[in-house]
Amino acid sequence: QVYLVESGGGLVQPGGSLRLSCAASGSIFNFDVMGWYRQAPGKKRELVASLTRGENTYYTDSVKGRFTISRDNAKNTLYLQMNSLKPEDTAVYYCHARKAIYDNWGQGTQVTVSS
């Protein structure tokens, strides 16, 4: 069991930026895929961005060109750089990591985009 702890959320004005971090209790090198999901009130949890061990990335259409996913294996940390934030980006953001059939989730961090 690897524990994931997100940080970096908060309140930001439209057009602003935030960087989310996901610190793992163990090595992230062997995860098959890591990613960021989000869930807004009354909506289903959705995949925002993912990064495979082979460095392949995926972004949902609504964040392409604005968000960047990356990781630092030495620090066992996954990042999500979020630029040009919009009110519709408001949600709880969750870190996820998968190896084989095993899923690991963080507790979530709130991102609120509002003027």
Side-chain angles (χ1 to χ4, degrees), residues 1-62:
Q1 177 87 25
V2 175
Y3 296 96
L4 305 174
V5 179
E6 302 98 333
S7 61
L11 173 64
V12 64
Q13 292 187 343
S17 298
L18 284 174
R19 188 176 79 155
L20 304 184
S21 299
C22 171
S25 60
S27 173
I28 66 171
F29 181 76
N30 291 323
F31 283 121
D32 297 321
V33 61
M34 297 188 73
W36 291 94
Y37 287 71
R38 67 185 179 188
Q39 187 166 20
K43 294 189 176 182
K44 293 173 58 176
R45 189 175 295 190
E46 65 167 345
L47 175 62
V48 176
S50 65
L51 176 63
T52 69
R53 185 167 49 185
E55 301 294 332
N56 294 311
T57 57
Y58 163 85
Y59 297 95
T60 192
D61 285 345
S62 62

Side-chain angles (χ1 to χ4, degrees), residues 65-99:
R66 300 189 297 122
F67 291 10
T68 303
I69 189 170
S70 63
R71 68 181 177 205
D72 186 332
N73 290 334
K75 295 183 178 180
N76 294 320
T77 302
L78 181 75
Y79 302 101
L80 185 68
Q81 178 66 44
M82 305 186 296
N83 299 327
S84 302
L85 282 161
K86 304 175 180 180
E88 51 263 43
D89 295 317
T90 295
V92 178
Y93 284 70
Y94 297 91
C95 178
H96 171 260
R98 173 176 293 166
K99 180 173 176 58

